[in-house]
Amino acid sequence: MTLESIFSKSRPDVSGSAIFDTDFPTGDDWRNWFEADDIRDEQVGLPEFSEVDVVRHFTNLSQEAHGVDNGPYPLGSCTMKYNPKRNDKLAILDGFAKVHPHQPVDTMSGIWESLLNFQNDIAEVTGMDAVTLQPAAGAHGEFTGLLVIKKYFEQLGQDRKVILIPDTAHGTNPASAAMCGFHCKIIPTNQRGLMDLESFEEHLNDDVAGLMITNPSTLGLFEENIETIAQKIHENGSLLYYDGANLNAIMGLIRPGDMGFDVIHINTHKTLSTPHGGGGPGAGPCGVKAFLEPYLPVPVIREIDGKATPDFDRPDSVGKVKTFFGHIEVLLRAYCYIRANGPDGLKTATENAVLNANYIKHQLSDLLPALFEQNCMHECLLHGGSLEVKGSDFVKRLIDFGVHPPTLVGAGCVHFAKEFDEAMLIEPTETESKASLDFIIEQFRRVASEAKVAPYMIETAPHNALTAKIIHNEAAWMSVYEDDDQP
Amino acid sequence: MSSGILTGYNVHTEEDRNQMLASMGKSTISDLFTEVPDHLRLKTPLNLPPAMSEWELERHLRALASKNATTLDHLSFLGGGAYEHYVPATVDAIASRGEFLTAYTPYQPEMAQGILRFLYDFQSVVGKLLGLPAVNCSVYDCATALAESAWMTCRITGNHRLAIAEGLWPEYRKVLEVYLKGRAVELITIPSDPKTGQIDEGALESILSEQKPGAVIHQTPNRSGVVERMSRIGELCKANDSLHVVASYPMLFGLMKNPGDCGVDIAVSEGQSLGLQLNAGGPYLGIIATREEYEMHLPGRIVGQCSDLKGEEALALVKEEREQHVARHEATSHICSNQANLALRALIYLCTVGEHGFQRIAELCTRKAHYLQSKLCELDGVKPVVSGPFFNEFLIELPRPASEVLNALREKQIFGGIPYNQLLEDAPENQLLIAVTETKSKADLDQAIKAFASSL
């Protein structure tokens, strides 16, 4: 029922909201204010609902959506952890939500103070010296950080065009680098799942502006050689960029700034528990070491005469990366998370993230052996090669038992090198209890047993979901609305 | 309890942790971090304030919130790209449901039909509103939508020369420049006619015929609040084989022809006015719509219809070969997270107000703005700066510097508008940009007129 087009449910001449103003009656005279040719003479084509119909329609849709609030979501590298309700409540207080971005600066001191506090918190957590909260998402933070790197070399009068990126990096890394006008050179992964140092050194030359690396990587492994890498990058006059997608594996224990990173971004939804919203909005704060601070986008919130204030006077800035000051509502949720946890709570959360991933890895090791022997961090990469069914079918059967599938090649935001085909990246996150982890493990085992006796059940799964298995037949894809949808 | 503090967020008891470690043959948490060089591990806790109880946190956030003036305690006529439209209660109630709010990007369509459905319906409804059928699931805001569109035109035409109207919000122009900086794109500015405030059509014609830009990019209403002759500009673009891109205030199309009707190739909008709170500037909603033939050049997510194993209709993310996780450095854009929950808000908003309500709101905005403008222009020394038609925002000249008048209004709890030189550095100091929405009653407007009269 809920799959019906919204237009087919429309009932003309009802409305879901009371819209009238008896002081301003409707009429035709407004037409005189515009060029007659420019005035609309047809309907817009919007659907019409009564209020109760709107509420029922969308409430029914919500029952066909699976969020962290519904159950475990061990989607590797996407980090689906619980989003505390207190943060949702506090970020939308009228004192934040009803503030206009063009209000006089001195009437928004609570916004500036919140942002300054949060900037300082991020700087401390990451070991960086200066932070901008403007970027709209992780990828936007990458874009901002790379612009800073570009500007730095421009100021030095050096024409460095290359960004080095490991082959396992998130797709956003090379895409952001290309948007900034850099060329990407890809570094392979070695047999231990780490960046191949030999290849890295071969690629190092005067063209290299920087290396973009995720640590822990998207394979869930800590890059043990990070200090050597940092040293070699810096000896080459290049900069080291930290993709903070996996910062939740080290927060409170290790800081990117201490590992030698010059520029970082973090994803508030992964590290600081802001909701994914079905795909956004996010926020991607970007931090830099002091020598790069002048290049951060305008404005930066600073303490001037004892008061937090936006500083627009930044002659060396890369410029403006988006309108206004960033995703305030999202940033406030993340700020609440840091303040609710404090240093000990953050550290415990990190420990639990790593503990949970290792626990799953260990408990499933007979069935789905880990690709790499060493300890994993917040996520584990398991090999599905010995299963009787394809990994992509296997994970669909998990849906029937209430577990969101883990990340596979092509099933998430992660790019795996080719040799990791049939691997599953599982990230239970720190907010799954032992009972919940045991439940996840039990479902994996149940599906693996079934694969031996009834592979057909798996190949045609899911069976209890909102829809049967989606067929990837490109000819059937239709993304443009058709006019006969209209009421 | 390991941390000694119950933060409400950490899920394991000490016993759980010990049991889990023991099952792996480990004795302490540190045994899981053996790959991390010891000297990199923090030896002291982060230098952050200690954890707050739930009520302390609430008090802290409420104290910060109370330091901001709001549009509830001030009569606000601020616009400049963000507008105080009423948000129906249905929007907050539904968009905050946990199933929607805590879901991921719908990579697993079998358990995300509800998410895919609202994204597909958002695409369809926005397609109607803007008159262009290919729509993505949103980008960050209107400025980034415009910047993405500019690059789309370069990909489509292979021409890296773009003609940009002077009438863009200056902030949009800045973002556009930053986005295109790494890409060797040449920007030509199309001047405005100083009398009407609209694009100088003569100048546009000669730019089109002599410099052959691949696209013309403009905004309506423009930075002076003036509604552009979108269809006329469309004709000029078509006659010169140039793509036509417009950034628009979507509410306008309750009254006026939409971009599709005017031959626009790519239409972008700021969706903030469609059921989003002001939020001190963000998050907002970047909307992009285009012709079907340019769909493969769109950035970000697209939802499409397909079928399931039983032959039933279903929805899924489609055309992912354009996207960063597949195409990597050759992707149309790096965008991964979009504004899905805000696209949901816009959809609920449009369904709630419906056809009739949307047109009515647009009419109320323009009626109220015209009422205020005409009354203000009866005051001594107040007159319009430009003569072109306006929707709900207008530029006036005052007999005194705008900042002085605004300070006097502030004492009466009125935010009277934006000093134009705050948006545009070289603008005269006596120009003021005023926005009116449906939320201002006649009594509010009369109160503002009286306050202006006594402050000039």
Side-chain angles (χ1 to χ4, degrees):
Chain A
M1 184 185 82
T2 45
L3 268 177
E4 280 174 50
S5 153
I6 202 156
F7 297 109
S8 68
K9 291 187 158 187
S10 173
R11 293 192 298 138
D13 300 329
V14 295
S15 176
S17 188
I19 298 158
F20 53 83
D21 188 330
T22 48
D23 290 328
F24 291 90
T26 188
D28 271 346
D29 51 324
W30 62 266
R31 292 172 171 266
N32 303 329
W33 301 328
F34 301 100
E35 298 273 353
D37 287 353
D38 297 341
I39 294 172
R40 162 180 294 286
D41 40 32
E42 286 171 15
Q43 299 270 295
V44 182
L46 298 178
E48 308 233 69
F49 289 86
S50 65
E51 181 173 337
V52 63
D53 287 341
V54 169
V55 171
R56 283 187 184 155
H57 173 76
F58 286 99
T59 301
N60 286 336
L61 284 194
S62 75
Q63 288 164 359
E64 298 196 0
H66 183 88
V68 180
D69 283 4
N70 297 83
Y73 221 122
L75 188 58
S77 205
C78 298
T79 313
M80 295 299 290
K81 61 193 189 187
Y82 174 70
N83 314 132
K85 298 299 175 193
R86 69 190 82 161
N87 305 350
D88 298 343
K89 171 184 163 182
L90 299 176
I92 60 166
L93 292 173
D94 284 341
F96 301 124
K98 308 284 187 188
V99 173
H100 193 288
H102 281 302
Q103 274 179 214
V105 163
D106 64 343
T107 66
M108 300 167 70
S109 56
I111 297 285
W112 311 133
E113 192 179 327
S114 310
L115 296 181
L116 183 65
N117 288 351
F118 188 47
Q119 273 179 203
N120 292 339
D121 290 353
I122 300 274
E124 171 63 15
V125 163
T126 58
M128 306 309 281
D129 298 314
V131 172
T132 173
L133 301 175
Q134 265 183 60
H140 204 229
E142 292 172 12
F143 178 64
T144 305
L146 289 163
L147 287 173
V148 165
I149 291 176
K150 199 174 170 74
K151 183 89 186 195
Y152 166 75
F153 285 114
E154 263 173 36
Q155 299 283 81
L156 287 182
Q158 295 181 18
D159 186 22
R160 292 183 181 239
K161 289 200 175 69
V162 171
I163 295 285
L164 304 180
I165 302 175
D167 58 356
T168 54
H170 296 101
T172 50
N173 289 184
S176 295
M179 278 174 69
C180 294
F182 287 114
H183 300 297
C184 306
K185 292 227 167 122
I186 307 302
I187 313 292
T189 297
N190 69 19
Q191 293 201 324
R192 292 194 66 230
L194 307 176
M195 189 176 79
D196 187 285
L197 280 186
E198 228 170 87
S199 169
F200 162 64
E201 286 184 48
E202 280 166 18
H203 279 91
L204 263 187
N205 58 40
D206 290 351
D207 280 343
V208 174
L211 167 70
M212 259 184 124
I213 186 167
T214 313
N215 191 20
S217 70
T218 55
L219 308 179
L221 301 176
F222 190 83
E223 191 61 67
E224 296 165 32
N225 304 311
I226 191 63
E227 288 170 295
T228 312
I229 293 167
Q231 190 195 340
K232 291 195 187 297
I233 272 283
H234 291 145
E235 279 170 8
N236 193 55
S238 318
L239 300 181
L240 190 58
Y241 184 99
Y242 182 80
D243 173 345
N246 299 331
L247 185 75
N248 66 317
I250 60 171
M251 187 166 48
L253 297 174
I254 308 152
R255 306 193 307 171
D258 300 338
M259 289 189 254
F261 286 92
D262 302 295
V263 185
I264 62 130
H265 85 266
I266 67 170
N267 310 64
T268 57
H269 61 268
K270 295 186 180 193
T271 304
L272 303 172
S273 81
T274 64
H276 264 279
C286 171
V288 295
K289 289 282 174 67
F291 70 101
L292 297 171
E293 193 274 345
Y295 312 123
L296 289 178
V298 276
V300 164
I301 315 302
R302 287 177 50 210
E303 191 170 315
I304 301 172
D305 299 332
K307 283 178 101 172
T309 312
D311 177 11
F312 289 90
D313 184 19
R314 301 180 56 77
D316 292 325
S317 164
V318 298
K320 200 97 185 71
V321 294
K322 80 181 296 293
T323 42
F324 305 121
F325 316 107
H327 287 174
I328 306 291
E329 190 208 274
V330 180
L331 297 166
L332 287 168
R333 282 187 171 94
Y335 174 63
C336 287
Y337 178 80
I338 288 191
R339 290 296 165 99
N341 275 288
D344 294 335
L346 294 178
K347 181 169 171 241
T348 306
T350 299
E351 289 173 352
N352 289 348
V354 174
L355 174 65
N356 286 3
N358 278 287
Y359 182 70
I360 289 221
K361 174 186 154 199
H362 182 79
Q363 297 294 335
L364 289 175
S365 56
D366 57 325
L367 201 68
L368 302 162
L371 262 76
F372 305 105
E373 280 172 20
Q374 61 266 47
N375 284 320
C376 67
M377 298 298 281
H378 59 302
E379 56 195 352
C380 55
L381 190 67
L382 307 185
H383 191 47
S386 61
L387 294 168
E388 278 78 1
V389 294
K390 281 199 296 186
S392 53
D393 291 334
F394 182 94
V395 301
K396 293 285 183 193
R397 183 64 169 146
L398 291 170
I399 295 173
D400 287 330
F401 306 120
V403 176
H404 190 282
T407 297
L408 293 175
V409 178
C413 55
V414 184
H415 174 82
F416 296 147
K418 262 213 172 74
E419 49 270 37
F420 304 133
D421 275 359
E422 287 300 303
M424 298 178 195
L425 188 67
I426 303 175
E427 181 173 13
T429 81
E430 59 270 31
T431 58
E432 295 306 319
S433 64
K434 179 169 179 298
S436 172
L437 297 173
D438 289 337
F439 172 78
I440 295 170
I441 291 160
E442 195 185 316
Q443 306 320 310
F444 271 83
R445 292 196 163 279
R446 181 205 289 227
V447 177
S449 313
E450 194 179 48
K452 290 185 182 143
V453 293
Y456 180 74
M457 278 302 281
I458 290 168
E459 284 152 11
T460 53
H463 302 285
N464 309 324
L466 312 168
T467 174
K469 179 177 280 207
I470 301 293
I471 306 299
H472 286 260
N473 169 11
E474 281 295 323
W477 298 140
M478 208 272 291
S479 53
V480 173
Y481 75 83
E482 287 177 321
D483 248 355
D484 48 344
D485 282 343
Q486 201 153 6
Chain B
M1 179 62 205
S2 58
S3 69
I5 295 173
L6 296 170
T7 64
Y9 192 66
N10 292 322
V11 293
H12 294 321
T13 63
E14 196 60 35
E15 196 189 334
D16 287 335
R17 284 174 43 132
N18 290 337
Q19 263 187 26
M20 290 162 72
L21 285 167
S23 76
M24 294 183 257
K26 313 272 185 196
S27 50
T28 69
I29 286 281
S30 289
D31 294 344
L32 298 173
F33 288 88
T34 46
E35 281 72 18
V36 180
D38 186 60
H39 60 275
L40 281 181
R41 297 193 222 177
L42 285 175
K43 301 297 181 288
T44 54
L46 291 170
N47 182 20
L48 294 172
M52 287 180 177
S53 66
E54 190 156 349
W55 55 90
E56 281 173 329
L57 184 69
E58 177 154 348
R59 194 157 60 185
H60 177 54
L61 267 287
R62 283 191 186 279
L64 289 166
S66 72
K67 293 181 182 178
N68 301 315
T70 71
T71 54
L72 298 176
D73 52 45
H74 283 66
L75 196 54
S76 167
F77 296 93
L78 299 169
Y83 300 90
E84 186 199 351
H85 290 285
Y86 187 72
V87 179
T90 50
V91 176
D92 286 326
I94 296 166
S96 61
R97 288 183 66 92
E99 303 90 330
F100 286 138
L101 194 61
T102 71
Y104 192 59
T105 303
Y107 283 135
Q108 295 290 340
E110 293 87 353
M111 64 198 314
Q113 288 296 303
I115 303 280
L116 290 157
R117 184 76 243 173
F118 82 65
L119 289 171
Y120 183 80
D121 284 344
F122 167 80
Q123 292 172 184
S124 309
V125 170
V126 165
K128 300 268 187 208
L129 182 59
L130 298 180
L132 290 164
V135 181
N136 73 5
C137 299
S138 76
V139 297
Y140 309 135
D141 63 12
C142 189
T144 57
L146 194 65
E148 296 275 7
S149 301
W151 182 241
M152 273 173 74
T153 69
C154 296
R155 292 171 66 102
I156 292 166
T157 63
N159 182 339
H160 284 208
R161 185 181 290 168
L162 305 175
I164 315 281
E166 198 185 343
L168 287 189
W169 292 124
E171 220 174 34
Y172 287 11
R173 171 76 186 237
K174 285 179 191 159
V175 172
L176 186 75
E177 286 173 2
V178 168
Y179 259 68
L180 296 176
K181 197 157 181 278
R183 290 169 151 165
V185 176
E186 185 192 345
L187 304 181
I188 306 160
T189 300
I190 312 163
S192 301
D193 178 335
K195 194 158 160 280
T196 63
Q198 290 173 317
I199 281 180
D200 180 334
E201 288 184 22
L204 173 60
E205 267 191 285
S206 43
I207 287 170
L208 282 166
S209 60
E210 288 159 24
Q211 305 195 56
K212 311 253 178 246
V216 168
I217 297 177
H218 74 98
Q219 177 184 320
T220 188
N222 64 26
R223 71 183 186 198
S224 318
V226 173
V227 177
E228 295 282 6
R229 303 286 329 264
M230 193 160 58
S231 52
R232 173 74 187 131
I233 296 163
E235 287 164 17
L236 292 175
C237 288
K238 202 164 185 191
N240 289 277
D241 288 328
S242 174
L243 291 178
H244 183 193
V245 180
V246 67
S248 56
Y249 183 2
M251 225 56 136
L252 181 68
F253 306 125
L255 302 181
M256 311 298 282
K257 282 182 179 158
N258 65 33
D261 290 338
C262 300
V264 168
D265 296 289
I266 305 173
V268 305
S269 277
E270 175 51 70
Q272 179 273 329
S273 56
L274 308 175
L276 275 60
Q277 302 288 358
L278 289 165
N279 285 331
Y284 288 173
L285 171 66
I287 294 172
I288 304 187
T290 189
R291 301 180 177 288
E292 191 171 353
E293 66 199 280
Y294 303 138
E295 189 183 28
M296 286 307 282
H297 296 280
L298 280 172
R301 312 290 181 196
I302 298 176
V303 175
Q305 289 176 359
C306 58
S307 49
D308 69 13
L309 203 58
K310 295 176 181 162
E312 302 280 326
E313 186 184 287
L315 296 168
L317 293 176
V318 296
K319 302 182 166 75
E320 291 181 272
E321 61 270 35
R322 303 164 294 107
E323 291 193 64
Q324 44 75 29
H325 63 282
V326 179
R328 317 227 1 125
H329 68 279
E330 287 172 355
T332 49
S333 163
H334 66 158
I335 197 161
C336 181
S337 294
N338 53 26
Q339 309 289 89
N341 191 249
L342 306 179
L344 173 64
R345 291 183 73 97
L347 178 66
I348 299 166
Y349 178 84
L350 289 168
C351 289
T352 298
V353 301
E355 175 79 30
H356 175 79
F358 189 71
Q359 290 190 18
R360 185 73 184 123
I361 290 166
E363 189 186 330
L364 282 174
C365 287
T366 198
R367 273 185 191 287
K368 293 180 178 189
H370 281 76
Y371 175 76
L372 182 62
Q373 193 256 16
S374 66
K375 292 287 179 190
L376 289 178
C377 289
E378 286 170 13
L379 302 176
D380 272 351
V382 179
K383 57 180 185 184
V385 175
V386 285
S387 64
F390 65 92
F391 175 56
N392 76 327
E393 192 160 23
F394 55 87
L395 191 60
I396 54 172
E397 186 181 304
L398 303 170
R400 295 172 58 190
S403 57
E404 292 176 17
V405 176
L406 291 174
N407 283 339
L409 292 173
R410 266 180 72 181
E411 287 174 19
K412 300 181 167 73
Q413 304 283 100
I414 297 173
F415 291 143
I418 305 171
Y420 204 42
N421 65 357
Q422 188 183 302
L423 296 178
L424 193 66
E425 277 165 29
D426 51 2
E429 61 175 7
N430 64 336
Q431 294 184 354
L432 182 64
L433 189 68
I434 298 177
V436 187
T437 66
E438 79 282 2
T439 59
K440 300 294 166 285
S441 67
K442 182 160 183 297
D444 293 335
L445 298 175
D446 290 339
Q447 185 194 334
I449 292 157
K450 215 171 128 194
F452 265 99
S454 64
S455 309
L456 293 177

